[in-house]
Amino acid sequence: MKQSIYKIIENIPLTDTVFKMVLEGDVSDIKNSGEFINIQLEGKFLRRPISVCDVDATTVTIIYKVVGAGTEQMSEMPIGTELDVLVGLGNGYDLSLAGDAPLLLGGGVGVPPLYNLAKRLIEMGKKVTVVLGFNTKDEIFYEQEFKNLGAEVFVTTADGTYGIKGFVTDAMKDIDYSYFYTCGPEPMLKAVYKASATSGQMSFEERMGCGFGACMGCSCKTLTGYKRICKEGPVMKKEEILWED
C-alpha cells in the first residue's frame, strides 16, 4: 500500500450516471488486475474505494457510478484537481489459472476491473471472451473498448433492449471456456457460481471502512476461515466461497 497525490487529467461521463476518471501520478504500487484504490474526498470521513480499470506507466483509470454524495462530488471535479489516494490495495486476479480460453463476466460497475485483466490475458496469447451485463441499453459502456483489445464480446440486457435478453448467465451457457473471472453484485456472482462449468475467481463488492485491513469491517467467512474483502480479497476462488442463504 502507498499513499500518493494524483492529479485528475480526465473526468468524463460514459452514461448518465457512470463516469471515467484518469489520474496521473506514481502507479508503481499497482501490480495486479483487480486491485482497487481508495480516494480521500474533502469533507468526507471515509475514503471511497474504486476498482482499477486500467493502468499504464504514469496514469490509472477508474470508472465509477454516481450513487451518493461522494461519487457526485467526484463527478464535479475539474481537470487539475489533486487527490490523496491509497494505491496497491486488494489481492487482484491470479492470471496463471486462466487456461487457453478464459471467460470474463462483468455486471454494471463490476465491468471496469475486467478491462485490464482482458488486456493482460490477451497479451499472454489467451483467447478471451467477455460478457458484459446491464439492465438496459442506456447503461452500456466499454463494449467497444473490449473489442478493440481483441476480445470476443457479448452484451446482455435484462430488459432486452440490446444484445442478448437476460443476464450474463444466459450468455455463458453457450460459450466454451477454460476458466472464468467475474465481478459484479452478489446476486450475479451467486448465479455465475451455480451456472459455471469450471473453476474461477470472483471479485466481491463490499462496504469498507479503512480499505487496508485494519478495521476488520469487511470480513467474511470462507471455507479457509475469515477473510477481509479489502486485504485478502476482493478476489476469491470459487471453491472457497461460502454463500449465506
Side-chain angles (χ1 to χ4, degrees), residues 2-243:
K2 185 175 183 178
Q3 185 174 7
S4 297
I5 301 299
Y6 285 76
K7 181 184 292 185
I8 298 176
I9 61 174
E10 185 176 337
N11 193 21
I12 60 171
L14 299 179
T15 72
D16 289 343
T17 59
V18 175
F19 284 72
K20 173 185 176 182
M21 179 183 286
V22 181
L23 301 169
E24 185 177 54
D26 180 3
V27 299
S28 59
D29 275 49
I30 302 174
K31 306 293 186 183
N32 303 309
S33 302
E35 291 182 8
F36 66 95
I37 66 175
N38 222 359
I39 302 173
Q40 180 68 58
L41 299 178
E42 184 176 355
K44 302 294 187 295
F45 178 69
L46 295 178
R47 292 175 179 264
R48 265 49 182 184
I50 308 287
S51 297
V52 172
C53 175
D54 198 17
V55 62
D56 60 24
T58 60
T59 68
V60 57
T61 299
I62 59 173
I63 294 176
Y64 61 95
K65 185 175 183 178
V66 176
V67 294
T71 44
E72 183 175 0
Q73 182 178 334
M74 287 174 59
S75 71
E76 296 170 350
M77 290 178 174
I79 303 303
T81 300
E82 292 188 340
L83 294 173
D84 181 316
V85 182
L86 298 178
V87 300
L89 301 174
N91 59 347
Y93 294 105
D94 183 348
L95 279 64
S96 69
L97 302 173
D100 294 329
L103 172 63
L104 281 54
L105 305 116
V109 287
V111 166
L114 301 181
Y115 179 79
N116 184 260
L117 174 63
K119 178 190 287 188
R120 294 189 181 190
L121 289 170
I122 289 169
E123 288 173 350
M124 293 168 63
K126 309 295 185 181
K127 179 183 180 296
V128 175
T129 304
V130 179
V131 180
L132 309 176
F134 301 93
N135 289 318
T136 188
K137 180 179 180 180
D138 293 341
E139 297 180 1
I140 296 170
F141 63 89
Y142 256 53
E143 176 187 8
Q144 190 58 50
E145 283 81 356
F146 278 98
K147 289 180 177 179
N148 291 344
L149 292 178
E152 183 176 13
V153 180
F154 298 92
V155 177
T156 69
T157 52
D159 65 0
T161 50
Y162 187 89
I164 299 169
K165 182 176 182 179
F167 305 102
V168 295
T169 48
D170 291 300
M172 71 183 294
K173 64 186 179 183
D174 296 319
I175 300 171
D176 292 324
Y177 54 95
S178 56
Y179 194 79
F180 74 85
Y181 299 89
T182 186
C183 184
E186 189 167 308
M188 188 201 92
L189 298 184
K190 187 179 290 189
V192 170
Y193 178 95
K194 293 178 179 179
S196 55
T198 70
S199 182
Q201 295 169 43
M202 300 183 163
S203 182
F204 284 78
E205 302 170 350
E206 183 62 71
R207 293 186 66 86
M208 298 178 186
C210 68
F212 50 86
C215 73
M216 306 297 290
C218 60
S219 296
C220 66
K221 190 176 182 180
T222 74
L223 287 175
T224 54
Y226 281 92
K227 291 191 174 183
R228 297 161 292 182
I229 295 295
C230 70
K231 187 71 173 179
E232 288 82 29
V235 178
M236 296 187 187
K237 292 183 174 64
K238 174 184 175 180
E239 292 76 17
E240 65 181 322
I241 297 169
L242 286 176
W243 295 106

